[in-house]
Amino acid sequence: MTEGDAELEARLAEQEVFEPPESFVEQANVSDPGIYEEFEENWPECWEGAADLLDWYEGYDQVLDDSDPPFYEWFTDGKLNASANCLDRHLDERGDEAAIEWVGEPVDEADRTYTYEELHREVNEFAAALRDIGVGEDDVVTLYMPMIPELPVAMLACARIGAPHSVVFAGFSADALATRMNAADSEYLVTCDGYYRRGDPLDHLGKAEEGLSGVEHETTTVVVDRLGPNGDGFGHDLGDKHDYGDLVAAHAGAEVDPVVRDAEDMLFLMYTSGTTGKPKGVKHTTGGYLAWASWTSQSVLDIKPEDTYFCSADIGWITGHSYIVYGPLALGTTTMMYEGTPDHPDRDRLWEIVEEYEATQLYTAPTAIRAFMKWGSEYPDAHDLSSLRLLGTVGEPINPRAWKWYYKHIGGEECPIVDTWWQTETGGMMVTTLPGVGDMKPGSAGPPLPGVDVRIVDTGGDEVEAGRAGYLTVDKPWPGMLRTLYNNDERYIEEYWAEYSDLDSDDPDDWVYFPEDGAKIDEDGYITVLGRVDDVINVSGHRLGTMEIESAIVGVEGVAEAAVVGGHHDIKGEAVYAYVITEEGYEENDELRERIVAGVEDAIGPIARPEQVVFTPDLPKTRSGKIMRRLLENIADGEELGNTSTLRNPEIVEDIQRKAGGD
Ligand code: WTA
């Protein structure tokens, strides 16, 4: 480090407020601070501007119908199609421009560019094929694919024919796939033979087939051939499954008129973890969701058609849905997709991609930034990253040190950073600075977006003072909100509204959305999100329910009882720690430990893999039998123990602590 650098580091370390760079403000899509007041005064009509970003077959009657809270409807009776909005309307002006720039994992493989015209063609062909194999309007199609271009093609093909998709993250297990297909009554699956991970081909179809064997109804499956001859070793036989390439070839040149969908018709389902063991099927709609994804892409990510925008998330999660596929394509920009991991073949892979494609924005997760930081700044420093104009983060809180590292080493101190708080359920961003307007405070996401009514309250629902921890609530509906949980209105109310609403009231003012996050607010109205307050663990920005993991562990032979908590992890943010009571006659040994880890991987996937499995004769419980997770969290974090006086078995805690420490 030169002396100049050292000075700079010291200055950065102390600085708490960063102004948006002048060069950015000058060209920003949104730069007028008046937008906050304007939206507040003009609510909910302020969201007409978001709807105006889309093409409608028929205009809507009402911006918001709030006559039956919490079943809100947006842009009522408006008619549109999401695939037409993401493709057809760009053909005249941008047909030859890249819609998707796809970078495969193998370094020596040619990258693939899909112009809008090419993407439109393949989406039409696959839409025709889906219809041919029986997919009708409103049939749920499950997509179980990694980061290959056929995934967005399939999403848009579904949208074109009005069939909601349910994307299941490729890293999820066979069981997780089966649970989701059963829950959604989904009779169609699009998957692939395999993909590459760190240079090696990986079998995916085997897992998909195992999942299908757990599906209770008849299914029709389409398989994308990703690996070609490299997949031969897995010995797959397609049997009665369809080959994607053959289907598309058989429908070459087909054109499918986009189905006219109502604004409130379902665009997709996305399963996410909650407090109970069963994943929740979050329902998003065509009009409100697409307007929200588009408006936030434009005003927060500052996307312009001529950009090459890069989000490194996986399309299997909501971030990829909203900010790789729907938002960017609705705005007619070039969106990037990368199949591999950031450290293969070397730790500069992302920077190589940014440099080669001259990416203009990078949207990633704090867990990735922490890993980059650990690997060292020599990797980004070796590349020209000056094409970048804006940086973003999502998924978990980012600590100020990682924020500043990102700002300096990736953004060259010339890019604003948007720290965006939102969830699967919100459809898109809710709390973040507008990059051309607001000052940034590292570690704090920022104020709620204009027109978004977020408050930080105590358990009684009263707003807490600045600086005090409380619960984050959303007091007014917004277009991108989930509409319900699939086939389960009751659970929708129970999970998100019951905490702070008057459930008997018809007055929307009595209804408050609770996202189950803790947060605090400062004097300037900047919100720092503190993390989940329910039994959800955030591993590398991915939501996992402790109940789901516990039931997987209890399903392992020899396990009597289990408790799972999230403990601190330098890179992942949180990691899974499991405390397990064995059944009589089973030994507490590594063999059982391995079976427990394998059981979790089978039920959910490798992301849920426990960091540590501790055997114990008992779990810390209150007199009423409730497990005191807080104490287990203390143990996982190697912290001093909290109050144990309410336990019926206080002696067990130190015992577990000793065992966790390796005695
Ligand atoms: C957490 C991901 C702090 C939060 C888009 C939320 C964050 C959960 C942030 C949703 C952020 C997301 N700062 N925490 N900027 N963004 N979270 O559904 O706990 O996978 O409730 O959606 O991630 O996770 P989900």
Side-chain angles (χ1 to χ4, degrees):
M1 208 186 314
T2 66
E3 212 166 302
D5 274 350
E7 252 171 52
L8 199 77
E9 295 281 349
R11 175 170 63 67
L12 270 181
E14 278 174 22
Q15 193 172 341
E16 281 175 5
V17 179
F18 292 72
E19 279 177 21
E22 197 53 45
S23 56
F24 183 89
V25 177
E26 279 165 11
Q27 60 78 61
N29 285 341
V30 179
S31 55
D32 177 6
I35 186 172
Y36 289 95
E37 211 179 297
E38 194 187 301
F39 272 48
E40 195 174 331
E41 282 169 8
N42 193 26
W43 194 94
E45 280 71 29
C46 54
W47 295 121
E48 286 172 1
D52 287 347
L53 293 173
L54 307 178
D55 278 6
W56 299 77
Y57 299 123
E58 268 177 53
Y60 48 88
D61 296 334
Q62 232 183 322
V63 174
L64 166 67
D65 176 353
D66 58 3
S67 55
D68 183 23
F71 300 97
Y72 297 98
E73 295 191 351
W74 287 88
F75 311 123
T76 54
D77 293 327
K79 310 278 185 235
L80 77 168
N81 180 285
S83 152
N85 269 286
C86 291
L87 300 170
D88 306 42
R89 64 174 178 152
H90 305 313
L91 293 179
D92 277 350
E93 274 184 33
R94 302 195 45 83
D96 295 334
E97 305 289 335
I100 296 178
E101 292 281 12
W102 177 80
V103 180
E105 184 196 283
V107 201
D108 49 4
E109 187 184 25
D111 299 345
R112 273 147 75 181
T113 301
Y114 286 72
T115 63
Y116 272 95
E117 192 133 352
E118 288 162 343
L119 187 61
H120 178 261
R121 187 179 319 135
E122 192 159 327
V123 165
N124 270 274
E125 291 165 351
F126 192 52
L130 284 175
R131 270 206 179 145
D132 232 26
I133 61 171
V135 179
E137 204 175 335
D138 293 319
D139 287 343
V140 176
V141 179
T142 302
L143 309 177
Y144 186 44
M145 280 186 270
M147 288 290 280
I148 55 176
E150 289 80 1
L151 174 53
V153 168
M155 291 164 79
L156 294 169
C158 286
R160 197 162 192 89
I161 59 173
H165 53 73
S166 163
V167 179
V168 177
F169 174 57
F172 274 143
S173 68
D175 283 0
L177 173 66
T179 310
R180 286 157 178 75
M181 286 187 76
N182 284 327
D185 267 327
S186 174
E187 294 176 2
Y188 300 91
L189 173 70
V190 186
T191 184
C192 68
D193 58 344
Y195 52 105
Y196 295 94
R197 262 300 167 270
R198 300 209 159 79
D200 298 321
L202 200 109
D203 182 14
H204 188 61
L205 186 53
K207 217 165 58 162
E209 280 176 337
E210 198 190 321
L212 283 172
S213 68
V215 176
E216 292 146 5
H217 47 263
E218 289 287 305
T219 51
T220 304
T221 301
V222 179
V223 182
V224 176
D225 181 4
R226 161 70 187 112
L227 296 175
N230 286 341
D232 289 352
F234 300 125
H236 290 308
D237 171 9
L238 282 194
D240 60 359
K241 298 186 187 68
H242 300 274
D243 175 74
Y244 175 94
D246 290 349
L247 278 183
V248 166
H251 294 85
E255 287 198 19
V256 174
D257 283 339
V259 168
V260 175
R261 297 285 278 173
D262 192 273
E264 282 294 310
D265 280 342
M266 173 161 47
L267 178 59
F268 66 85
L269 263 179
M270 166 123 248
Y271 282 90
T272 188
S273 297
T275 308
T276 71
K278 266 177 84 186
K280 310 186 270 198
V282 170
K283 175 184 160 180
H284 280 297
T285 57
T286 311
Y289 168 82
L290 196 61
W292 196 252
S294 308
W295 184 81
T296 48
S297 292
Q298 194 194 46
S299 46
V300 180
L301 297 170
D302 200 50
I303 289 179
K304 302 174 171 57
E306 55 280 11
D307 284 340
T308 300
Y309 156 84
F310 186 12
C311 167
S312 72
D314 191 293
I315 295 177
W317 307 102
I318 192 71
T319 303
H321 278 54
S322 302
Y323 300 115
I324 295 179
V325 182
Y326 285 111
L329 293 178
L331 297 179
T333 196
T334 300
T335 185
M336 303 220 31
M337 274 181 80
Y338 171 49
E339 182 185 34
T341 53
D343 57 349
H344 183 83
D346 207 345
R347 292 169 164 178
D348 66 345
R349 186 67 191 272
L350 286 197
W351 318 127
E352 205 173 70
I353 297 173
V354 168
E355 181 171 17
E356 184 182 338
Y357 286 87
E358 299 184 27
T360 40
Q361 292 94 337
L362 178 69
Y363 190 31
T364 189
T367 183
I369 299 168
R370 289 191 296 266
F372 300 147
M373 230 173 112
K374 189 171 155 221
W375 297 339
S377 53
E378 59 270 29
Y379 295 100
D381 289 352
H383 293 273
D384 177 5
L385 306 180
S386 61
S387 58
L388 288 170
R389 183 172 90 238
L390 172 134
L391 303 175
T393 81
V394 58
E396 45 173 329
I398 179 166
N399 61 306
R401 212 166 78 87
W403 192 102
K404 288 174 185 177
W405 187 91
Y406 194 33
Y407 184 74
K408 175 165 189 273
H409 293 284
I410 310 304
E413 297 189 71
E414 282 180 40
C415 301
I417 296 180
V418 286
D419 173 356
T420 60
W421 176 87
W422 58 290
Q423 328 176 279
T424 303
E425 292 86 343
T426 68
M429 301 159 180
M430 299 289 280
V431 177
T432 177
T433 48
L434 285 169
V437 175
D439 289 350
M440 298 164 272
K441 300 188 187 185
S444 163
L449 283 171
V452 172
D453 189 358
V454 165
R455 298 176 198 201
I456 312 302
V457 301
D458 60 21
T459 43
D462 295 318
E463 284 188 61
V464 298
E465 280 167 48
R468 295 300 263 287
Y471 302 96
L472 196 155
T473 58
V474 189
D475 284 47
K476 282 202 188 106
W478 64 102
M481 68 195 297
L482 80 165
R483 295 302 192 270
T484 190
L485 292 176
Y486 192 58
N487 283 340
N488 206 338
D489 289 348
E490 231 169 87
R491 190 171 172 202
Y492 166 64
I493 294 178
E494 186 56 38
E495 294 261 357
Y496 304 107
W497 303 92
E499 195 78 24
Y500 289 106
S501 308
D502 174 358
L503 303 184
D504 297 323
S505 171
D506 290 337
D507 182 350
D509 289 344
D510 293 331
W511 287 81
V512 174
Y513 174 84
F514 181 43
E516 306 204 76
D517 270 325
K520 59 184 185 182
I521 190 161
D522 72 8
E523 301 76 24
D524 301 323
Y526 275 53
I527 292 167
T528 296
V529 178
L530 301 169
R532 306 284 308 188
V533 295
D534 56 3
D535 293 331
V536 168
I537 307 182
N538 191 331
V539 179
S540 303
H542 302 316
R543 271 166 73 170
L544 300 169
T546 53
M547 285 272 287
E548 281 169 81
I549 307 174
E550 282 166 8
S551 68
I553 297 180
V554 174
V556 171
E557 191 194 323
V559 173
E561 205 182 333
V564 158
V565 298
H568 176 80
H569 188 281
D570 279 347
I571 301 293
K572 298 179 188 171
E574 277 189 299
V576 175
Y577 286 80
Y579 302 89
V580 175
I581 304 177
T582 52
E583 262 178 63
E584 282 287 330
Y586 284 87
E587 264 189 62
E588 301 178 350
N589 56 19
D590 283 344
E591 186 267 334
L592 179 54
R593 228 179 234 120
E594 277 161 29
R595 283 197 293 116
I596 289 171
V597 171
V600 174
E601 290 197 0
D602 282 350
I604 302 162
I607 41 166
R609 201 189 153 87
E611 192 75 14
Q612 193 183 23
V613 176
V614 180
F615 292 114
T616 170
D618 204 354
L619 292 165
K621 285 184 183 159
T622 60
R623 289 189 186 92
S624 61
K626 210 173 151 297
I627 297 171
M628 285 276 279
R629 289 169 189 284
R630 181 71 50 209
L631 290 170
L632 294 172
E633 283 166 12
N634 293 153
I635 294 172
D637 286 341
E639 290 169 354
E640 214 163 286
L641 295 174
N643 184 359
T644 58
S645 65
T646 56
L647 292 185
R648 73 161 189 232
N649 54 351
E651 69 292 344
I652 197 67
V653 188
E654 281 178 25
D655 196 36
I656 301 178
Q657 209 171 24
R658 259 195 316 278
K659 289 194 161 138
D663 295 354

